Amino acid sequence: MSKAKRYSPDSGSLGELRLGLKGLLLYIMPTPVLLAAVISLIKGNFWATIINGGAFAAFMLAAVIARHGFKVEHQYNVKKLALAPTTPFKTVAALLLAVTTGLTAWLAADYGLFSSILIGAVTLLAFYLCYGLDPRRNKTGNIGLGVSAEEVFEALEAANIKIDAIESARSTINNAKFDQHLDRIIDKARNILEVIENDPNDLPRARKFLKVYLDGTQRVTESYAKTHKNEATTIELDSNFSNVLNSIESTFDEQHEKLKKQDRFDLDVNIEVLETQLKREGII
């Protein structure tokens, strides 16, 4: 991912710390079950070892699923536009945790069936009280009639894939100057996506700009990275690459401002200028 990070109350270092700590208790709580499995193994109690060992494995699986659900939820929360998770990881983890707790109480701790069911239900309730439910609704912001939510999500996803490809190609280019150029370009690309997230109705007029800019930048960066990897770069090629990056960066700055100011005419005109230069340099 890019070094550029969108501000959010939960996206800074504090939010990352909270995410890192969230759910760690789920790994610690089954420790007595692990100890019981070890003791059973030492005593040669086969079935008790199987029951306790299986329960511990199920507890660990529930913790892993829950932690993944927390990460998915975090990504959902920090975005202004986001699709609700298709798989309710937290719910799956909660059910697995509740069933495992109930079965462990019944089979390993000799609780009665009713008491074990009650313990499992309390575990399920405690999980939801501590960690809440999975997000269920898409965050569509203020999308108007001129564009559908599916179009916006598809465009943003495609743009992020291209930006990631640029980032990947950038990492293979061992040139400090170009690295800084591309890092700024990636940052500016994230900024334009943020404008669209703030006002999804900007998508129709930003679509062409995103396509020309990101497609052209991705192609030229990947092409140069491949040539650089094969040590086939020349002074002329480096110069052309530098010129294109300069043009892309400056053009993006201008269009970012125009997009925020709702300047539709200037956006289209300058896109044509950029597209012409990319064709002249053999990029598209």
Side-chain angles (χ1 to χ4, degrees), residues 34-273:
L34 176 61
L35 294 176
V38 173
I39 293 173
S40 299
L41 180 62
I42 295 175
K43 291 182 176 180
N45 191 331
F46 176 76
W47 287 113
T49 302
I50 292 297
I51 291 172
N52 288 305
F56 179 76
F59 279 126
M60 289 297 100
L61 178 59
V64 170
I65 295 174
R67 290 271 289 176
H68 182 71
F70 300 152
K71 292 178 181 178
V72 171
E73 182 183 42
H74 177 73
Q75 292 301 318
Y76 172 88
N77 288 335
V78 300
K79 292 180 179 179
K80 294 174 182 173
L81 298 176
L83 292 171
T86 55
T87 302
F89 292 103
K90 291 167 61 179
T91 299
V92 172
L95 291 173
L96 178 57
L97 186 65
V99 170
T100 302
T101 302
L103 288 176
T104 302
W106 184 36
L107 299 176
D110 296 327
Y111 280 87
L113 179 59
F114 178 76
S115 297
S116 299
I117 293 174
L118 182 60
I119 291 172
V122 170
T123 301
L124 182 64
L125 177 62
F127 184 97
Y128 281 122
L129 289 177
C130 290
Y131 303 116
L133 299 172
D134 293 280
R136 296 181 178 180
R137 295 182 178 180
N138 296 335
K139 295 168 65 175
T140 57
N142 58 338
I143 296 178
L145 297 177
V147 60
S148 68
E150 290 74 16
E151 288 179 307
V152 175
F153 290 127
E154 182 180 350
L156 291 176
E157 181 181 5
N160 276 305
I161 290 174
K162 293 172 185 176
I163 294 172
D164 289 343
I166 296 169
E167 176 84 14
S168 178
R170 180 189 68 85
S171 65
T172 66
I173 300 175
N174 187 24
N175 184 299
K177 177 182 177 182
F178 294 156
D179 183 84
Q180 293 173 2
H181 259 309
L182 289 168
D183 192 48
R184 290 194 298 268
I185 285 172
I186 290 169
D187 188 19
K188 298 175 195 303
R190 301 288 184 198
N191 289 339
I192 200 71
L193 296 189
E194 186 173 4
V195 172
I196 296 174
E197 288 185 4
N198 289 333
D199 186 1
N201 300 304
D202 281 330
L203 178 63
R205 67 195 190 88
R207 193 192 305 274
K208 182 180 179 183
F209 178 61
L210 284 174
K211 178 175 175 55
V212 173
Y213 173 78
L214 291 180
D215 282 356
T217 306
Q218 179 184 351
R219 272 184 269 177
V220 69
T221 305
E222 289 180 338
S223 177
Y224 182 84
K226 182 178 180 180
T227 304
H228 184 81
K229 183 178 180 180
N230 296 330
E231 298 182 352
T233 58
T234 63
I235 295 177
E236 182 180 2
L237 178 60
D238 288 350
S239 178
N240 289 340
F241 185 57
S242 179
N243 291 336
V244 170
L245 293 183
N246 280 326
S247 295
I248 290 176
E249 186 176 350
S250 61
T251 301
F252 197 83
D253 279 333
E254 295 173 5
Q255 300 316 311
H256 183 217
E257 292 301 318
K258 289 182 171 64
L259 182 62
K260 292 192 298 183
K261 294 178 181 178
Q262 307 293 315
D263 196 338
R264 183 188 306 269
F265 177 75
D266 283 343
L267 183 67
D268 289 339
V269 170
N270 283 288
I271 285 174
E272 297 301 332
V273 173

Side-chain angles (χ1 to χ4, degrees), residues 24-32 60:
L24 289 182
L25 186 62
L26 297 175
Y27 290 99
I28 299 173
M29 289 179 62
T31 302
M60 289 297 100

